[in-house]
Amino acid sequence: MQTPTISPTSPTYLAAELRLPTNWLDYTLLGIYFVVVLGIGFAARRSVKTTLDFFLSGRSLPAWVTGLAFISANLAATEILGMAANSAQYGAYTVHWYWIGAIPAMVFLGLVMMPFYYGSKVRSVPEFLLLRFDKWAHLLSSILFAFAAILIAGVNLYALAIVVEALLGWPQWVAIVVAGFFVLAYITLGGLSSAIYNEVLQFFVILAALIPITVLALKKVGGWDGLTDKLTQAHGDNFVTAWGGTGIGETNPLGANWLTIVLGLGFVLSFGYWTTNFAEVQRALSAKNLSAAQRTPLIAAFPKIFIVFLVMIPGLAAAALVPGFGTEKSGYQYNDAIPYLMEGLLPNGVLGIAVTGLLAAFMAGMAANVSSFNTVFTTDIWAKYVVKDREDSYYVRFGRLITAIGVMASIGTAFLASSFSNIMSYLQTLFSFFNVPMFVVFIVGMFWKRASMKSGFWGLLAGTTAAMVNYFVLYKQDIISIPTDQGANFVSAIAGFVAGAVVMVAVSLFTAPKPADELQGLVYGTRSPVMAEPPAEGDDAWYRRPALLGWGAIVLAAACYIPFSFSL
């Protein structure tokens, strides 16, 4: 692969400016973290005896563990560098990615979709399509997901490499090899259990890194009032509101109106990511029972509501402290918001925690995608279409081998991310290509019994093609005018969803539906035996009821919008 040309404002050219004054204390904290990571891997190895243990933790984990792992798997490059970059570039519009672009979909996953996933006893998201449609929909979705997982894992490796080089002076290849080695080691040792327990640890390490950066950044700019005053003077009132300037025909930093935000981000991209992305759903499938599986994304929704402040405020602070931050004249890319603040604000010790937190975030994101990749490739591609009916221990060994191959492939795809100044834009592009078409196939198949077996494959193919054509042909060739990459992603997502749905309906009208007796537990209005099981002891307590948790998260997210809905 040819390495893309890197602009002079790339973080790889900022080592001298952003180099952290780290000392023995910082490196000691970092070393302790890596020792604990490997220790968890060795401890989890003792419990791995079957493919169910390796790929789904034996479906034995409590809801609080899977819930924290669920949110930690998302706390990766998207969250740390990407959302801070988003805030430096677009302002307070970043809250949409959380309160409308995550919470409703997470609640929908927990209340509506997890009973079908868990009740059908599938080991992966693509396997559900095999049961609902046919092998062609299953094979295509497996290939698309495996490809996307490697690309997204590569984003995390690239983000880690540029940050570590800029902050610590390590060459990029050293950072990539070190992080890749540790992720490879603990996943091959302990499988998904190792990844999940490390993600629980990483959740708290990440918070310990982000909280000091946020507090000190706010203090540096004169508190919230000082921050909003500086940003309003430099960027206008709309930069510090959620909905200002989003009327149809109006202009705003995000380059999107309320309709594309609600439909493109809030419905299509959001539901496409949270309900069908196996890197997330896999954590819920590893829960010990249906109630715990339902509560997994619902528990994760509550920290998700508030994490936005820990990534948005640093991005806003960077934009307030450096005039034109992210533009060529400033000498920084938008992705440099967090590293810039770390270099200027954090003392030793806290600096070590922050660096460890960043590495933990990147490793959590990479591990989530690698562990989901090895599951899909082994169980959905290799075991079903290449080497069938072998003993269980063979597939455990192959799962470990394909994990190593996945890590190597991620290193190769890391360079693709270097052409994007805003990593979030790159990730949203991938989601519009891969997650949205899969979501439309799921949602139509789950709520329309008449959707035929053949419609799944053609709907998935049409949705993926339409999203790619809109982005690469219509947008990139200036056939249609869209102000920003993010706006183009929203439109691509809508195009992929509509194309997939239309093709599914058309194909279903001319091909045979799946027999009704094969749809039990797969279509809304039907039930499987697992879905009829009574809650386990203690799960029927009022504070554990999924409906209460879900609607509580929705109301809380809506309330958070109130202070951001007016000019401050």
Side-chain angles (χ1 to χ4, degrees), residues 173-188:
W173 71 268
V174 173
I176 287 174
V177 169
V178 169
F181 168 78
F182 279 97
V183 170
L184 176 62
Y186 71 72
I187 292 180
T188 52

Side-chain angles (χ1 to χ4, degrees), residues 334-347:
Y334 295 113
N335 292 329
D336 299 329
I338 293 286
Y340 164 76
L341 294 174
M342 287 174 61
E343 186 269 338
L345 300 178
L346 299 185

Side-chain angles (χ1 to χ4, degrees), residues 113 117 124-129 132-133 141 275-276 435-448 504 522:
M113 295 189 72
Y117 282 142
S124 70
V125 168
E127 189 176 1
F128 185 88
L129 294 185
R132 175 58 185 89
F133 296 102
S141 65
T275 64
T276 66
N435 292 92
V436 169
M438 198 174 296
F439 169 63
V440 71
V441 173
F442 267 88
I443 209 70
V444 172
M446 196 172 283
F447 287 92
W448 189 36
M504 285 190 73
L522 302 175

Side-chain angles (χ1 to χ4, degrees), residues 469-493:
V469 167
N470 180 80
Y471 189 84
F472 288 119
V473 179
L474 300 181
Y475 169 61
K476 286 296 187 181
Q477 302 302 318
D478 292 324
I479 296 174
I480 59 173
S481 177
I482 304 175
T484 65
D485 285 346
Q486 289 288 20
N489 289 331
F490 297 165
V491 175
S492 295

Side-chain angles (χ1 to χ4, degrees), residues 25 53 60 107 117 123 132 138 146 154 157 163 214 273 290 371 380 391 398 420-421 424 436 464 470 488 558:
L25 177 60
D53 296 332
S60 62
V107 171
Y117 282 142
R123 289 175 295 178
R132 175 58 185 89
H138 171 250
L157 268 184
V163 170
T214 304
Y273 174 81
L290 175 58
S371 61
D380 291 288
E391 66 277 9
F398 183 82
F420 285 76
S421 173
M424 187 64 193
V436 169
T464 303
N470 180 80

Side-chain angles (χ1 to χ4, degrees), residues 23-41 170 178 182 186 198 201-202 205 349 352-353 355-357 359-360 363:
N23 62 16
W24 65 269
L25 177 60
D26 302 309
Y27 280 104
T28 299
L29 292 171
L30 192 59
I32 292 172
Y33 169 73
F34 280 123
V35 169
V36 173
V37 162
L38 286 182
I40 291 174
W170 298 4
V178 169
F182 279 97
Y186 71 72
N198 266 306
L201 168 67
Q202 287 158 344
V205 172
I353 294 173
V355 171
T356 304
L359 293 180
M363 289 169 63

Side-chain angles (χ1 to χ4, degrees), residues 281-359:
V281 175
Q282 187 180 28
R283 275 77 195 140
L285 287 178
S286 66
K288 63 182 179 180
N289 55 38
L290 175 58
S291 174
Q294 283 194 274
R295 284 182 280 125
T296 293
L298 304 179
I299 290 171
F302 288 91
K304 182 70 175 177
I305 292 171
F306 298 105
I307 285 171
V308 61
F309 298 111
L310 299 182
V311 291
M312 180 178 72
I313 290 174
L316 295 177
L321 292 170
V322 179
F325 190 91
T327 61
E328 190 169 346
K329 67 178 181 180
S330 73
Y332 296 99
Q333 285 190 337
Y334 295 113
N335 292 329
D336 299 329
I338 293 286
Y340 164 76
L341 294 174
M342 287 174 61
E343 186 269 338
L345 300 178
L346 299 185
N348 290 109
V350 178
L351 205 57
I353 294 173
V355 171
T356 304
L358 276 181
L359 293 180

